[in-house]
């Protein structure tokens, strides 16, 4: 890891330890020593070095049921703020004997919380080490340190393997949250609704969550908005929307394992289109803002019209489409980027064909198989970019080799090559190198081991780590297993060496 990253993470850790009352930092609590309670606090993070307080330890979430009522901002004047009320019903299973455990929740207030139907008392965060009586919850929110932790002390304590249902009633005024590098993310309030895109740890801005992809879960949604607004989340509509007294409730079900950052529940003036399937039968449900200009609507419609072909093409290369449905949300507003939200990517302003191919490929690379640590982000963006190179070849625009050459040929400054895509740091997750050097890495790998091994290993990667996550080392291991080659030097050069990789590759 670069010194730069270490410093950043260290800064957060130091700043936040003083907060106390959060539960043990780090991945797992030590087993009880003799004479001590075997019930311990679940960790306040899953141990991701880039986001030490993302996700939580001590339990696995099985299902989130999110019941949301949302009022978009008044048409004018400023501020752009909405009103949000939520009830999150979280089914989880303890993975250790738990005295207390955390959820991540940012910028919302908890009004009530219960465990298996028994209400918990709302208390002030105790000073570190202090005891709290009875079943209780407390909420630490430190924007400067970027620490947002809701702690639940269940009584009775939870035994490892025990299933419980936690219901959190919460809400507040929605704003326009920023990620660590200053990009809009999370529940991004828009005049006409909300664009909800939460990579890497912005889901906590709109529901209480173990906000890390190593704890995937299924989801269901009930979203109530003023009549005329359309709410679109992941998956399928289990039943039609219902309107009464000026409010419409939209129902969505996402029955596939899903990472928190891939959850969406966007609200807007959408034209909901539910009319077609891929050749393999994947239903495609699109939501397109009715306010797109004619030019942007034409671009968007042409791109969305190719989604079924893209799924067919990627299935032929990467294996079966991994989820129940697909489709896109195209908003007239912008957060500055698109996101591959599971089964239903969100696009800013319009959807170009290249971006639609990119987000479609993420369904295999990033969504079915997620990066186990944020450090492994090149596995997402390198693959999605490379798949777009493949799509451009399929469409007769240019070959993947030509895309590679276009990346390789130009002279670039040393700062470009200094950047390590295998350890980009929390501020470098979406740097250009992660995308383009990442794609070039995959192309060089393909040239190195040949098409047959390259695609066989890609399919094995998706199959073996489906509904889960993997690291760059797991990825290398699969490619070594399938190709029979030692690829250590290859990955060292492409992911970490701070120079332009050599033009040709031969295994030492
Ligand atoms: N993951 C998105 C994509 O490549 C990009 C993305 C997420 C992003 N958050 C961002 C890009 C913040 C820039 C800034 O499809
Ligand atoms: Zn991407």
């Amino acid at each position: 890891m670069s010194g730069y990253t270490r410093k950043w993470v260290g800064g957060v850790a130091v700043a936040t330890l003083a907060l106390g009352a959060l539960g043990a930092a780090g991945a797992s609590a030590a087993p009880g020593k003799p004479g001590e309670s075997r019930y311990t606090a679940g960790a306040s993070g899953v141990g991701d070095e880039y986001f030490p307080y993302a996700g939580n330890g001590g339990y696995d979430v099985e299902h989130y049921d999110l019941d949301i009522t949302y009022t978009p901002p008044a048409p004018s004047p400023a501020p752009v703020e909405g009103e949000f009320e939520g009830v999150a019903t979280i089914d989880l299973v303890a993975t250790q004997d738990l005295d207390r455990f955390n959820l991540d929740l940012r910028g919302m207030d908890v009004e009530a919380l219960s465990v298996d139907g028994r209400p918990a008392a709302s208390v002030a965060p105790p000073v570190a080490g202090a005891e709290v009586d009875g079943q209780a919850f407390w909420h630490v929110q430190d924007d400067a340190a970027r620490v947002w932790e809701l702690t639940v002390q269940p009584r009775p304590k939870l035994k490892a393997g025990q299933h419980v249902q936690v219901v959190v009633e919460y809400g507040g005024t929605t704003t326009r949250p920023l990620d660590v590098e200053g990009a809009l993310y999370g529940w991004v309030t828009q005049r006409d609704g909300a664009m909800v895109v939460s990579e890497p740890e912005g889901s906590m801005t709109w529901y209480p969550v173990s906000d890390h992809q190593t704890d995937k879960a299924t989801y269901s949604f009930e979203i109530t908005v003023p009549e005329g607004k359309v709410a679109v989340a992941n998956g399928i509509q289990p039943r039609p929307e219902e309107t009464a007294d000026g409010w419409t409730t939209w129902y969505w079900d996402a029955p596939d394992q899903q990472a928190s950052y891939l959850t969406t529940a966007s609200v807007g003036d959408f034209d909901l289109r539910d009319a077609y399937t891929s050749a393999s039968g994947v239903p495609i449900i699109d939501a397109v803002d009715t306010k797109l200009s004619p030019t942007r609507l034409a671009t968007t419609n042409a791109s969305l019209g190719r989604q079924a072909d893209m799924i067919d093409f990627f299935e032929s290369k990467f294996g079966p489409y991994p989820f129940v449905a697909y489709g896109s949300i195209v908003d007239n507003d912008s957060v500055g980027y698109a996101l591959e939200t599971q089964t239903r990517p969100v696009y800013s302003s319009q959807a170009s064909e290249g971006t639609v191919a990119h987000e479609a490929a993420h369904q295999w690379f990033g969504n079915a198989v997620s990066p186990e640590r944020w450090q492994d982000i090149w596995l997402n963006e390198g693959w999605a970019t490379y798949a777009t190179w493949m799509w451009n070849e399929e469409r007769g625009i240019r070959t993947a080799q030509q895309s590679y050459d276009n990346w390789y040929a130009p002279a670039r400054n040393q700062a470009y090559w200094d950047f390590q895509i295998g350890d980009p740091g929390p501020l470098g997750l979406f740097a250009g190198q992660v995308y383009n050097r990442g794609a070039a890495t995959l192309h060089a790998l393909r040239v190195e081991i040949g098409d047959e091994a390259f695609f066989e290993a890609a399919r094995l990667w998706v199959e073996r780590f489906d509904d889960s996550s993997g690291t760059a080392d797991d990825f290398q291991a699969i490619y070594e297993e399938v190709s029979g080659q030692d690829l250590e030097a290859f990955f060292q050069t492409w992911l970490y060496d701070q120079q332009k990789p050599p033009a040709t590759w031969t295994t030492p």
Side-chain angles (χ1 to χ4, degrees), residues 8-41:
W8 191 93
V9 171
V12 166
V14 169
T16 56
L17 283 178
L19 288 166
L22 292 179
S28 62
K33 299 189 191 88
E36 275 179 22
S37 169
R38 63 199 174 91
Y39 293 91
T40 52

Side-chain angles (χ1 to χ4, degrees), residues 358 362 381 435:
H358 179 108
H362 269 310
E381 303 310 342
Y435 291 72

Side-chain angles (χ1 to χ4, degrees), residues 90-110:
I90 306 168
D91 296 313
L92 60 84
V93 55
T95 54
Q96 68 188 56
D97 291 337
L98 277 175
D99 174 61
R100 50 176 82 159
F101 62 89
N102 285 11
L103 290 158
D104 305 314
L105 183 64
R106 169 180 172 187
M108 297 255 171
D109 294 318
V110 177

